[in-house]
Amino acid sequence: MIFDRYYAAIHRYVAARLGTAAADDVAAETFLAAFDQRDRYDLARPEARAWLYGIATNLIGRHRRGEIRLYRAISRSAPREELADHADRVAGRVAAERLSPELARGLAALAKGDRDALLLVACAQLSYAEVAHALDIPAGTVGSRVNRARRKLRTTLGPAAEEIMSHG
């Protein structure tokens, strides 16, 4: 049941971070790890969403070099044409295969914790409280990390940074 409810969302999040080639494996690993760690799940929490995103984020950490390599490769590519529809532009910016070179360069330059917090808010659309639970850090730290990441991306991207950072 948990797999059926959350697999597609976890897969999209991993694909946005690592690309589709790694998404199948990492998303599957997420649920395997969740099953193995089920005795550590806080039953007082009615939903496993944030917990699963935390596991996925930790697994993405094991693939960090691949994530940075992907962002750098995208940042060297030719600028892509803008998508006509605003919703498509926003969705496209959070999918690794369609990141603009500028955004990819900005994400690659972020510190790990800042990038994790920002992408959990922007890609997974978690609240700050959910990100805090997922990363096992205080909510105030989430706010600091997201704000720092936004500031750095604004410097790198200018006004175009607002599309990915408008969530949260």
Side-chain angles (χ1 to χ4, degrees):
M1 182 157 160
I2 285 179
F3 180 87
D4 293 336
R5 181 182 292 169
Y6 297 110
Y7 179 80
I10 296 294
H11 189 275
R12 276 191 305 275
Y13 171 67
V14 175
R17 301 280 309 261
L18 297 176
T20 55
D24 290 342
D25 291 340
V26 174
E29 284 179 60
T30 298
F31 288 90
L32 181 60
F35 182 77
D36 289 345
Q37 299 170 26
R38 67 189 179 278
D39 60 323
R40 291 194 260 162
Y41 180 71
D42 180 1
L43 295 175
R45 295 192 171 272
E47 289 194 24
R49 181 175 178 236
W51 181 62
L52 291 169
Y53 277 108
I55 293 169
T57 300
N58 288 336
L59 291 171
I60 288 167
R62 295 181 186 167
H63 298 270
R64 183 86 45 215
R65 286 196 317 235
E67 179 185 27
I68 298 302
R69 203 171 21 252
L70 175 67
Y71 290 155
R72 287 184 179 145
I74 292 169
S75 76
R76 291 186 299 270
S77 68
R80 63 176 176 78
E81 290 184 29
E82 287 299 314
L83 299 170
D85 180 69
H86 175 73
D88 287 342
R89 279 198 314 269
V90 173
R93 288 191 188 280
V94 297
E97 304 76 34
R98 296 168 60 187
L99 285 176
S100 70
E102 297 81 15
L103 180 55
R105 187 174 19 265
L107 290 172
L110 293 176
K112 171 199 173 303
D114 294 353
R115 183 174 45 252
D116 287 345
L118 177 68
L119 292 176
L120 281 167
V121 169
C123 294
Q125 298 186 351
L126 296 182
S127 68
Y128 284 15
E130 290 172 317
V131 173
H133 175 65
L135 299 179
D136 197 26
I137 58 176
T141 302
V142 172
S144 297
R145 289 179 180 183
V146 170
N147 287 333
R148 186 171 38 250
R150 287 177 171 166
R151 227 179 10 260
K152 288 180 180 178
L153 285 178
R154 277 189 197 101
T155 300
T156 303
L157 303 175
E162 292 308 315
E163 285 186 55
I164 191 167
M165 300 182 307
S166 63
H167 302 298

